[in-house]
Amino acid sequence: MKMAFITRLSLLHLLVGALALVSVKGESPYKFYTWTVTYGVISPLGVPQQVILINGQFPGPKLEVVTNDNIILNLINKLDQPFLLTWNGIKQRKNSWQDGVLGTNCPIPPNSNFTYKFQTKDQIGTYNYFPSTAFHKAAGGFGAINIYARPRIPIPYPLPLADFTLLIGDWFKTNHKTLQQSLDSGGSLPSPDGLLINGQTQTTFTGDQGKTYMLRISNVGLSSSFNFRIQGHTMQVVEVEGSHVLQNNYQSLDVHVGQSLSVLVTLNQPSKDYYIVASSRYTSSKVSVTGLLRYSNSGVPASGDLPSPPLEDLDWSLNQARSFRWNLTANAARPNPQGSFHYGTITPTKSFVFSSSAPLIKGKQRYAVNGVSYVNSETPLKLADHLNIPGVFSTNAIQNVPSSSPAIVATSVVQAALHDFLEVVFQNNEESVQSWHLDGYDFWVVGFGSGQWTPEQRPLYNLVDALTRHTTQVYPKSWTAILVSLDNQGMWNMRSAIWERQYLGQQFYLKVWDPVQSLANEYNPPDNLLRCGKAIGRRL
């Protein structure tokens, strides 16, 4: 299917003309949406299957907004199961009430609705949304979130003629309920049946010769890293999950589960069609998907060999990851340079080493963090904490360092104070690539290393220009270190972005709090907040 591009001018007309805007002096614009979630039958891989549609679309509608826009989104659930959407990478400043995960929100019952109210506060970049409930993510319900800079805020590259959004991810022909039942009974997720670009196996992007375009690329899959490349063209990475980066050129890019980035591509080759390829990485079962980059004056079909992926060499991927560096002189959503915050000069107030594992608990496959496998509560943790409901979660289950004790299950919360500065090491002793995400924040990815992390490896950290992002990979038998400044009060999900592992317990919540209640630190719960579990009948 040919996908028409949208120029920035057209985009502004779209935002102004198609969305209802409320002009309030001193406030950023309000934008209103109504989305209805239903099932539908389509054939992404040639076999009819049930998928989740939003307003009849697969993938769902794009949210194309501007820094600081206020989003009012009424979500109507017409499925046969409770449902939530989470906004992957949106920080929800002072507002974890809108995060859309089971630790913060009651799921929306069938034939009911919930209106999300949140702001894209001080953010630019490429993000996405997806279902956080049950195993709905395996059925679709995902879509793009593209946040554009305010007109008066400069960007550190020439304005591209247009954007293309590429939501790329692995896909399973098996129904999401069947996959969930398999996991619940102690089984594992099978190998994916294919990869999709924007819900399809054949996608065409058309542009004009000599012009430059932005490609907004996200890995929306369940389990597979992929490598992305365009025949005959280089890609200049300019933005990674809200950070402007040093603008290096690449022949191909590894994108791990949950990650997003933006690249500039100039159509500077002879006029014809060129192959676009994404193929899975670091998995025993290989899948790929092919699209086309078409020059608008082309009458020549794509030809020649598909561009090959780099060798399946972890060192190659590691070196590429280290080459993503913060652009210290560029701004992001605000006019001040990114490098004006000297994160490397701050001494961490707390340090954690979180080690993932794959234990059997009561004979069933689970996944754990420091020996604790997370189980959801019927009462959202944030609601229980606000209402002082006891017995919902544990704050002492997960220790600061890995445990040698037998694995247990718990509804685990790690506590930290507002304005703490954390050092977190993700330790991966397993044979597969891990992917870790933190809601409510981005963090500096300061170090990658092999083997077991020790304090002696801190001098290896990049304390000058490490990029910030919300999701980082951890290579097999290796570690990744991050620094995070806790300036956003709330209850925030730290999880594996690999959905089988998240579903079976590789997650917990980070409670960032201050004993003095103040609207300067955190908003009150919204009036329309749903109640469930032990919160039913209680006043906020």
Side-chain angles (χ1 to χ4, degrees):
M1 183 184 78
K2 179 177 177 179
M3 303 193 70
F5 58 76
I6 300 175
T7 66
R8 288 298 177 89
L9 182 59
S10 298
L11 175 64
L12 291 176
H13 289 168
L14 174 67
L15 291 174
V16 172
L19 302 174
L21 303 181
V22 177
S23 296
V24 179
K25 187 175 181 180
E27 285 194 87
S28 297
Y30 280 71
K31 298 177 178 175
F32 296 86
Y33 305 83
T34 297
W35 288 0
T36 301
V37 183
T38 60
Y39 287 126
V41 176
I42 61 174
S43 304
L45 292 176
V47 177
Q49 64 181 115
Q50 184 188 68
V51 301
I52 292 175
L53 308 175
I54 299 179
N55 287 358
Q57 301 177 43
F58 174 81
K62 280 189 284 190
L63 275 181
E64 295 191 290
V65 296
V66 175
T67 301
N68 293 347
D69 279 353
N70 293 285
I71 310 302
I72 312 296
L73 192 150
N74 181 26
L75 189 67
I76 303 169
N77 177 20
K78 292 294 185 179
L79 305 184
D80 57 354
Q81 295 178 314
F83 185 81
L84 282 172
L85 287 178
T86 190
W87 317 95
N88 198 47
I90 305 303
K91 293 180 184 178
Q92 308 289 2
R93 295 287 303 171
K94 302 188 291 186
N95 200 17
S96 62
W97 301 107
Q98 305 293 334
D99 202 29
V101 289
L102 288 173
T104 60
N105 294 88
C106 297
I108 305 166
N111 296 310
S112 187
N113 74 296
F114 175 72
T115 299
Y116 290 91
K117 302 174 183 178
F118 62 91
Q119 187 179 26
T120 54
K121 179 69 174 174
D122 293 337
Q123 288 191 262
I124 53 96
T126 299
Y127 306 95
N128 57 84
Y129 61 86
F130 59 81
S132 63
T133 38
F135 216 64
H136 293 134
K137 192 180 181 186
F142 56 81
I145 306 174
N146 299 332
I147 307 179
Y148 296 88
R150 290 170 289 176
R152 62 183 176 274
I153 303 296
I155 56 175
Y157 48 84
L159 191 69
L161 180 62
D163 289 2
F164 298 121
T165 296
L166 291 84
L167 301 175
I168 305 174
D170 50 21
W171 190 256
F172 298 78
K173 295 178 182 177
T174 305
N175 183 272
H176 68 98
K177 292 181 181 178
T178 303
L179 293 174
Q180 181 181 358
Q181 290 166 0
S182 175
L183 296 179
D184 288 343
S185 64
S188 296
L189 203 63
S191 297
D193 296 300
L195 284 179
L196 302 177
I197 300 177
N198 294 344
Q200 303 170 72
T201 56
Q202 295 181 335
T203 308
T204 299
F205 303 91
T206 302
D208 296 336
Q209 190 174 29
K211 302 300 183 181
T212 298
Y213 297 84
M214 175 175 281
L215 275 61
R216 296 177 174 269
I217 303 167
S218 293
N219 187 332
V220 296
L222 298 184
S223 60
S224 303
S225 302
F226 64 76
N227 181 266
F228 180 83
R229 49 212 182 266
I230 305 173
Q231 183 184 34
H233 294 75
T234 59
M235 296 172 286
Q236 185 180 64
V237 177
V238 294
E239 177 262 330
V240 176
E241 295 167 17
S243 280
H244 284 137
V245 297
L246 295 181
Q247 295 169 18
N248 297 321
N249 292 310
Y250 300 88
Q251 298 290 334
S252 70
L253 291 163
D254 277 358
V255 186
H256 303 280
V257 181
Q259 294 183 340
S260 299
L261 49 77
S262 300
V263 303
L264 297 180
V265 176
T266 299
L267 277 58
N268 56 7
Q269 298 298 306
S271 181
K272 56 172 288 191
D273 293 354
Y274 294 88
Y275 292 118
I276 293 173
V277 181
S279 56
S280 58
R281 295 275 275 170
Y282 315 115
T283 57
S284 57
S285 177
K286 302 299 181 187
V287 289
S288 64
V289 62
T290 303
L292 290 175
L293 176 62
R294 172 166 292 160
Y295 284 44
S296 59
N297 58 345
S298 167
V300 181
S303 60
D305 295 332
L306 296 177
S308 299
L311 293 175
E312 198 130 310
D313 181 355
L314 289 171
D315 285 339
W316 181 94
S317 185
L318 177 60
N319 288 332
Q320 183 176 92
R322 286 174 172 153
S323 74
F324 294 162
R325 311 293 279 263
W326 224 16
N327 187 334
L328 297 179
T329 60
N331 62 281
R334 288 179 159 183
N336 52 303
Q338 294 178 142
S340 61
F341 189 89
H342 301 286
Y343 69 92
T345 65
I346 304 172
T347 301
T349 54
K350 288 186 177 181
S351 294
F352 298 89
V353 179
F354 293 129
S355 179
S356 58
S357 60
L360 293 178
I361 299 179
K362 295 183 178 180
K364 292 184 177 182
Q365 180 66 67
R366 298 286 301 181
Y367 296 96
V369 184
N370 289 0
V372 181
S373 185
Y374 184 88
V375 289
N376 284 307
S377 167
E378 292 184 357
T379 308
L381 283 57
K382 179 63 181 169
L383 199 50
D385 189 52
H386 179 77
L387 295 174
N388 295 313
I389 302 173
V392 172
F393 58 84
S394 170
T395 57
N396 56 15
I398 289 185
Q399 303 303 306
N400 289 22
V401 295
S403 169
S404 59
S405 301
I408 62 171
V409 296
T411 305
S412 42
V413 170
V414 172
Q415 295 192 105
L418 185 65
H419 305 306
D420 270 348
F421 193 78
L422 302 188
E423 173 193 41
V424 176
V425 178
F426 298 115
Q427 180 69 51
N428 179 11
N429 297 323
E430 301 177 74
E431 300 288 348
S432 60
V433 177
Q434 300 282 317
S435 194
W436 275 97
H437 171 86
L438 175 59
D439 280 351
Y441 287 92
D442 48 24
F443 43 73
W444 291 272
V445 185
V446 294
F448 298 95
S450 60
Q452 293 291 314
W453 178 86
T454 65
E456 288 69 31
Q457 287 156 317
R458 286 179 176 134
L460 301 176
Y461 288 179
N462 176 359
L463 298 180
V464 178
D465 61 353
L467 84 160
T468 60
R469 64 186 316 165
H470 56 67
T471 302
T472 186
Q473 69 271 33
V474 191
Y475 294 102
K477 303 293 185 180
S478 299
W479 55 267
T480 298
I482 68 171
L483 299 175
V484 55
S485 178
L486 298 187
D487 60 355
N488 192 15
Q489 185 165 313
M491 188 77 74
W492 304 108
N493 191 211
M494 183 173 279
R495 61 176 177 265
S496 173
I498 298 172
W499 217 238
E500 172 186 11
R501 300 184 74 97
Q502 179 274 153
Y503 180 77
L504 292 178
Q506 190 177 320
Q507 62 169 308
F508 60 89
Y509 281 79
L510 177 66
K511 178 186 172 182
V512 181
W513 67 289
D514 189 298
V516 178
Q517 293 187 358
S518 169
L519 291 177
N521 293 336
E522 185 174 23
Y523 298 143
N524 289 326
D527 293 338
N528 67 331
L529 194 67
L530 300 176
R531 273 65 146 204
C532 55
K534 295 181 179 180
I536 293 175
R538 295 189 180 232
R539 298 182 61 184
L540 292 178

